[in-house]
Structures are given as C-alpha cells and as structure tokens.
Amino acid sequence: MDQIISIENLKKSFGGLEVIKGISFSVHKGEVLGIIGPSGSGKSTILRCISQLEEVTEGTIKICGQTLVEDGKYCNKEMRHAIILKSGLVFQNFNLFPHYSVLQNVMQPQRRVLKKSHQEAYETALALLDRMDLADKADSYPCQLSGGQQQRVSIARALALKPEVLLFDEPTSALDPELTGEILKVIKELAADKMTMVVVTHEMAFARDISSHIIFMDGGVIVEEGSPEDVINRPKQERTKAFLSRFNT
C-alpha cells in the first residue's frame, strides 16, 4: 500500500513552549486517520505542519514519497510548492472569500494554482458543487449560506485542486449541532470513495465510524494508537480512558 504521509520524530515549539514532542506516524493511500485528544494537545498543529502553515522545529515529513523536511531542514522552494499541492486543508472556520460567489470560491484556486482555463475550472466547480448538493447555490455568496453549506463549499474548493490527501481540522466545531450531520455525511462518502484523509475531530462516534486508524494525543505526544475499536471501545491507557469517559460513544 502506498504511503501518503510519513512523519518521524516531529517536534514543534512556539518560543519556549514545545507543543509537539517527537511524534511519528504514517498514513497509507485510502486510509482515514482520526486524531483525537483534548484542546491544546497538538492535534491541529500537526495538520498545520503538514500543510506548511507552520514550520517544524525538528523531524521529518514526507508526502507521497517526497521529502518536505528532513531532520528539521526543508527542501528547496520549488519542491515545497509541488508538495503543498498534494494536500488540501479544510479549516474549521471555512475561510471562504466573502466577496466571491460560491462558484468563484471553487473556481479561483484552480485558475490561480493549477492554471486551468476558465471553462475547465467552471466545469470542475459545477461538478463538485453538485456532488455537495450545492448546485443551486452556485451564484450565492458565503454570507447567504448556513455554516454547513459554507463548510461543504470549502470541501469542494479543496477537492478542486485534486489533492492526494485531505486534512480536516475540526470540520464541525464551528457548526450548530443540527448542521454537523451533513458534514459528517460528506466525509463518510469521501471515505467510501477511498479518499486518503487525516481528520482532527472532537466527535468520538464519528471518529470511530470513519477512521481506519486512530491516534489519541495529549500533551504533545501520542498516548495511544490503534484501530477505532481498540482505542475508543477498549482503550488501554488510563489517560485515554479518562478522556473518553466524558463522551457517550
């Protein structure tokens, strides 16, 4: 099975605060890695390091066999740009352009990053919006959509760049509870299509249902990892048990 993400001895500090303390894991093609844990455990920082929004302090990251950073030293600028296209990050707060229509939000990254023609970007955007059940919202603006609809637009935008792996940073945390279901449904459909994904989530039942593999983090380290059944239903570590005791899974 092809390895999409490989992380070895990753460390990240902000000033004197070390938020990731030498973690290692891998994600293979078609897998869904769920990352769970309390706030401040380093979950979102991992995604930001993979997507180059943060620079690592130490460690190695390889994406699709290409080395982004090795022992804390980054590859050249051209290679970094090529590697960043292999992952798509879906933010918890949508990050849509408010002055662009829904259609333009999905088209513009294709035009700017992939240099697609207007027609090709248009056709791809329409197809993805249809997939997200948003074809009738193509000419609307983000402010006219519900939070769940905005998040589906942001997923369509990420998919438009044809990444090898999708990274989700708490994709339902900014939504009202009644809207989370529509996002979880989309992610489940992507998993059924064998899209490789890394999902940071506080939805324990969802993490159990969607993930091929789960990591539980606390204090910047991986406390426990394994199958969803083992980590969530039969945790071995006391810290994992204590964390999961707050959730009705």
Side-chain angles (χ1 to χ4, degrees):
M1 192 180 297
D2 295 334
Q3 198 171 76
I4 300 297
I5 294 175
S6 172
I7 290 180
E8 297 177 14
N9 194 35
L10 180 67
K11 297 181 181 180
K12 174 61 182 176
S13 297
F14 294 99
L17 178 64
E18 190 176 37
V19 295
I20 301 179
K21 304 175 181 179
I23 67 169
S24 300
F25 66 85
S26 60
V27 183
H28 292 84
K29 188 174 180 62
E31 288 185 337
V32 180
L33 172 66
I35 305 180
I36 62 173
S39 297
S41 58
K43 308 184 302 296
S44 295
T45 303
I46 293 171
L47 299 189
R48 293 178 68 84
C49 288
I50 293 171
S51 59
Q52 302 186 46
L53 292 176
E54 299 285 355
E55 293 207 344
V56 308
T57 304
E58 292 183 37
T60 298
I61 298 177
K62 296 180 181 179
I63 301 177
C64 297
Q66 295 180 308
T67 301
L68 171 64
V69 54
E70 187 167 18
D71 297 329
K73 297 180 181 178
Y74 278 85
C75 60
N76 61 51
K77 185 177 179 180
E78 184 178 338
M79 180 65 78
R80 287 185 69 163
H81 178 71
I83 291 174
I84 201 171
L85 295 179
K86 298 189 180 295
S87 66
L89 178 60
V90 178
F91 297 89
Q92 53 186 300
N93 292 316
F94 323 135
N95 281 29
L96 299 175
F97 291 110
H99 57 292
Y100 284 168
S101 69
V102 165
L103 184 64
Q104 289 171 322
N105 263 285
V106 183
M107 285 181 63
Q108 285 298 332
Q110 300 179 66
R111 300 292 312 280
R112 188 177 69 252
V113 178
L114 300 183
K115 310 302 181 186
K116 284 188 175 181
S117 68
H118 181 277
Q119 186 63 28
E120 190 177 6
Y122 174 80
E123 291 174 359
T124 298
L126 278 185
L128 285 167
L129 290 174
D130 184 58
R131 182 177 180 182
M132 298 292 151
D133 292 325
L134 290 171
D136 60 331
K137 301 293 185 181
D139 295 326
S140 300
Y141 285 83
C143 66
Q144 298 172 303
L145 305 182
S146 70
Q149 289 170 331
Q150 289 185 63
Q151 190 61 293
R152 280 186 278 153
V153 175
S154 68
I155 294 171
R157 180 181 60 184
L159 288 170
L161 296 180
K162 300 188 182 302
E164 295 291 331
V165 57
L166 273 183
L167 312 172
F168 290 88
D169 185 13
E170 298 277 13
T172 61
S173 67
L175 303 179
D176 293 332
E178 63 266 25
L179 297 177
T180 62
E182 61 189 75
I183 301 306
L184 302 186
K185 177 176 178 285
V186 168
I187 298 175
K188 284 185 176 181
E189 289 171 354
L190 291 171
D193 290 342
K194 298 301 181 183
M195 182 76 201
T196 308
M197 293 181 280
V198 179
V199 183
V200 169
T201 182
H202 62 283
E203 302 274 351
M204 295 303 112
F206 170 65
R208 180 186 58 202
D209 293 345
I210 200 73
S211 303
S212 314
H213 189 80
I214 284 184
I215 285 173
F216 169 65
M217 288 191 65
D218 189 30
V221 301
I222 296 174
V223 175
E224 189 162 355
E225 61 181 313
S227 70
E229 294 78 13
D230 285 342
V231 175
I232 293 183
N233 293 351
R234 296 183 295 274
K236 297 181 176 64
Q237 302 300 320
E238 290 304 317
R239 181 65 188 96
T240 316
K241 293 176 183 177
F243 174 76
L244 290 171
S245 68
R246 297 178 294 152
F247 298 91
N248 180 17
T249 55

